[in-house]
PDB file of all heavy atoms in Angstrom:
ATOM      1  N   PHE A 100     -12.060  10.425   0.250  1.00 84.00           N
ATOM      2  CA  PHE A 100     -12.632   9.100   0.437  1.00 84.00           C
ATOM      3  C   PHE A 100     -13.147   8.993   1.868  1.00 84.00           C
ATOM      4  O   PHE A 100     -12.769   9.759   2.735  1.00 84.00           O
ATOM      5  CB  PHE A 100     -11.614   7.988   0.139  1.00 84.00           C
ATOM      6  CG  PHE A 100     -10.370   8.070   0.983  1.00 84.00           C
ATOM      7  CD1 PHE A 100     -10.277   7.382   2.173  1.00 84.00           C
ATOM      8  CD2 PHE A 100      -9.291   8.835   0.575  1.00 84.00           C
ATOM      9  CE1 PHE A 100      -9.136   7.464   2.953  1.00 84.00           C
ATOM     10  CE2 PHE A 100      -8.148   8.924   1.335  1.00 84.00           C
ATOM     11  CZ  PHE A 100      -8.069   8.232   2.531  1.00 84.00           C
ATOM     12  N   ASN A 101     -14.029   8.033   2.082  1.00 87.00           N
ATOM     13  CA  ASN A 101     -14.635   7.814   3.389  1.00 87.00           C
ATOM     14  C   ASN A 101     -13.716   6.906   4.200  1.00 87.00           C
ATOM     15  O   ASN A 101     -13.549   5.723   3.891  1.00 87.00           O
ATOM     16  CB  ASN A 101     -16.014   7.172   3.207  1.00 87.00           C
ATOM     17  CG  ASN A 101     -16.759   7.049   4.512  1.00 87.00           C
ATOM     18  OD1 ASN A 101     -16.177   7.167   5.582  1.00 87.00           O
ATOM     19  ND2 ASN A 101     -18.056   6.823   4.418  1.00 87.00           N
ATOM     20  N   LEU A 102     -13.118   7.437   5.240  1.00 87.00           N
ATOM     21  CA  LEU A 102     -12.171   6.685   6.055  1.00 87.00           C
ATOM     22  C   LEU A 102     -12.847   5.546   6.806  1.00 87.00           C
ATOM     23  O   LEU A 102     -12.264   4.477   6.974  1.00 87.00           O
ATOM     24  CB  LEU A 102     -11.472   7.633   7.043  1.00 87.00           C
ATOM     25  CG  LEU A 102     -10.327   7.050   7.848  1.00 87.00           C
ATOM     26  CD1 LEU A 102      -9.230   6.542   6.932  1.00 87.00           C
ATOM     27  CD2 LEU A 102      -9.768   8.086   8.794  1.00 87.00           C
ATOM     28  N   TYR A 103     -14.097   5.730   7.225  1.00 91.00           N
ATOM     29  CA  TYR A 103     -14.812   4.675   7.936  1.00 91.00           C
ATOM     30  C   TYR A 103     -15.070   3.483   7.010  1.00 91.00           C
ATOM     31  O   TYR A 103     -14.928   2.324   7.416  1.00 91.00           O
ATOM     32  CB  TYR A 103     -16.128   5.194   8.503  1.00 91.00           C
ATOM     33  CG  TYR A 103     -15.934   6.239   9.567  1.00 91.00           C
ATOM     34  CD1 TYR A 103     -16.429   7.524   9.413  1.00 91.00           C
ATOM     35  CD2 TYR A 103     -15.239   5.941  10.738  1.00 91.00           C
ATOM     36  CE1 TYR A 103     -16.244   8.485  10.382  1.00 91.00           C
ATOM     37  CE2 TYR A 103     -15.053   6.895  11.715  1.00 91.00           C
ATOM     38  CZ  TYR A 103     -15.555   8.163  11.533  1.00 91.00           C
ATOM     39  OH  TYR A 103     -15.372   9.115  12.512  1.00 91.00           O
ATOM     40  N   ALA A 104     -15.441   3.732   5.762  1.00 87.00           N
ATOM     41  CA  ALA A 104     -15.670   2.647   4.805  1.00 87.00           C
ATOM     42  C   ALA A 104     -14.358   1.936   4.475  1.00 87.00           C
ATOM     43  O   ALA A 104     -14.328   0.703   4.370  1.00 87.00           O
ATOM     44  CB  ALA A 104     -16.304   3.192   3.532  1.00 87.00           C
ATOM     45  N   LEU A 105     -13.287   2.694   4.343  1.00 82.00           N
ATOM     46  CA  LEU A 105     -11.981   2.094   4.076  1.00 82.00           C
ATOM     47  C   LEU A 105     -11.536   1.210   5.224  1.00 82.00           C
ATOM     48  O   LEU A 105     -11.045   0.097   5.019  1.00 82.00           O
ATOM     49  CB  LEU A 105     -10.941   3.188   3.815  1.00 82.00           C
ATOM     50  CG  LEU A 105      -9.525   2.701   3.553  1.00 82.00           C
ATOM     51  CD1 LEU A 105      -9.441   1.952   2.241  1.00 82.00           C
ATOM     52  CD2 LEU A 105      -8.562   3.871   3.555  1.00 82.00           C
ATOM     53  N   THR A 106     -11.738   1.659   6.449  1.00 88.00           N
ATOM     54  CA  THR A 106     -11.363   0.876   7.623  1.00 88.00           C
ATOM     55  C   THR A 106     -12.181  -0.405   7.711  1.00 88.00           C
ATOM     56  O   THR A 106     -11.645  -1.481   8.000  1.00 88.00           O
ATOM     57  CB  THR A 106     -11.546   1.714   8.894  1.00 88.00           C
ATOM     58  OG1 THR A 106     -10.805   2.920   8.778  1.00 88.00           O
ATOM     59  CG2 THR A 106     -11.098   0.960  10.123  1.00 88.00           C
ATOM     60  N   GLY A 107     -13.465  -0.307   7.443  1.00 88.00           N
ATOM     61  CA  GLY A 107     -14.322  -1.491   7.482  1.00 88.00           C
ATOM     62  C   GLY A 107     -13.951  -2.507   6.424  1.00 88.00           C
ATOM     63  O   GLY A 107     -13.896  -3.714   6.684  1.00 88.00           O
ATOM     64  N   ALA A 108     -13.671  -2.053   5.219  1.00 86.00           N
ATOM     65  CA  ALA A 108     -13.294  -2.966   4.141  1.00 86.00           C
ATOM     66  C   ALA A 108     -11.922  -3.578   4.394  1.00 86.00           C
ATOM     67  O   ALA A 108     -11.706  -4.764   4.134  1.00 86.00           O
ATOM     68  CB  ALA A 108     -13.298  -2.222   2.816  1.00 86.00           C
ATOM     69  N   THR A 109     -10.994  -2.796   4.913  1.00 89.00           N
ATOM     70  CA  THR A 109      -9.643  -3.293   5.168  1.00 89.00           C
ATOM     71  C   THR A 109      -9.656  -4.374   6.239  1.00 89.00           C
ATOM     72  O   THR A 109      -8.931  -5.369   6.133  1.00 89.00           O
ATOM     73  CB  THR A 109      -8.716  -2.131   5.587  1.00 89.00           C
ATOM     74  OG1 THR A 109      -8.742  -1.141   4.570  1.00 89.00           O
ATOM     75  CG2 THR A 109      -7.302  -2.600   5.793  1.00 89.00           C
TER      76      THR A 109
END
Side-chain angles (χ1 to χ4, degrees):
F100 58 92
N101 186 344
L102 188 60
Y103 295 119
L105 179 67
T106 305
T109 303

